[in-house]
């Protein structure tokens, strides 16, 4: 980027299966392990770990959403790159299947009682976040 301040962001979301989203947008909101954050054009460079959750981006005058799993984000003044294991647009979410799996995961998590530091519990927690993100993306998109 030259000395001029960018007025748009190039948002790219990549998974192990390839590039899942590439758009020009006005802003990006996502969930890091420390909480939600926003990126606007001209943002200072940033690298953060992502927690599974809702990805929101403002494109062509409207807010759009998607579900993303845990991963990493690299933000620059004119670009946001998200590397994640999982990504779905709201139209790709099978709500009934996700709710069923969510109930199964929740039941397994209850079996850990106080042992929430166990590796298996942590993996279940990440899966639960991913499932919740899919439900949230579908709900927000359809409201």
């Amino acid at each position: 980027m030259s000395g001029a301040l960018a007025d748009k962001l190039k948002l790219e979301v990549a998974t192990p299966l390839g590039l899942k989203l590439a758009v020009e947008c006005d802003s990006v909101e996502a969930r890091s392990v420390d909480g939600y954050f926003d990126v606007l054009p001209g943002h200072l460079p940033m690298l953060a770990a992502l927690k599974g959750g809702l990805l929101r981006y403002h494109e062509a005058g409207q807010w759009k959403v998607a579900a993303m799993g845990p991963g990493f984000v690299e933000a620059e003044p004119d670009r946001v790159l998200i590397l994640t294991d999982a990504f779905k647009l709201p139209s790709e979410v099978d709500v009934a299947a996700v709710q069923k799996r969510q109930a199964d995961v929740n039941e397994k998590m209850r079996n850990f009682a106080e042992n929430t530091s166990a590796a298996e519990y942590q993996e279940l927690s990440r899966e639960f976040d991913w499932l919740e993100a899919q439900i949230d993306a579908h709900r927000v998109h359809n409201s």
Side-chain angles (χ1 to χ4, degrees), residues 34-97:
D34 294 323
Y36 284 91
F37 65 91
D38 300 325
V39 177
L40 298 169
H43 197 282
L44 291 174
M46 173 187 81
L47 182 63
L50 294 173
K51 189 170 183 176
L54 202 59
L55 170 66
R56 291 175 33 108
Y57 54 100
H58 196 257
E59 178 191 20
Q62 60 182 292
W63 282 102
K64 297 188 178 181
V65 296
M68 65 177 190
F72 295 93
V73 61
E74 178 184 27
E76 298 174 11
D78 60 349
R79 180 173 171 255
V80 176
L81 173 62
I82 293 175
L83 304 173
T84 180
D85 287 342
F87 178 83
K88 280 190 181 179
L89 295 170
S91 60
E92 301 168 333
V93 176
D94 179 343
V95 175

Side-chain angles (χ1 to χ4, degrees), residues 33 46 57 62 81 89 102 107 115 119 126 130 132 142:
V33 295
M46 173 187 81
Y57 54 100
Q62 60 182 292
L81 173 62
L89 295 170
Q102 199 173 30
E107 183 61 34
N115 190 13
R126 282 189 291 277
W130 164 238
E132 189 172 57
N142 291 306

Side-chain angles (χ1 to χ4, degrees), residues 101-116:
R101 181 63 187 151
Q102 199 173 30
D104 294 343
V105 169
N106 198 31
E107 183 61 34
K108 288 179 183 178
M109 288 172 72
R110 274 197 283 268
N111 293 334
F112 282 86
E114 300 298 318
N115 190 13
T116 60

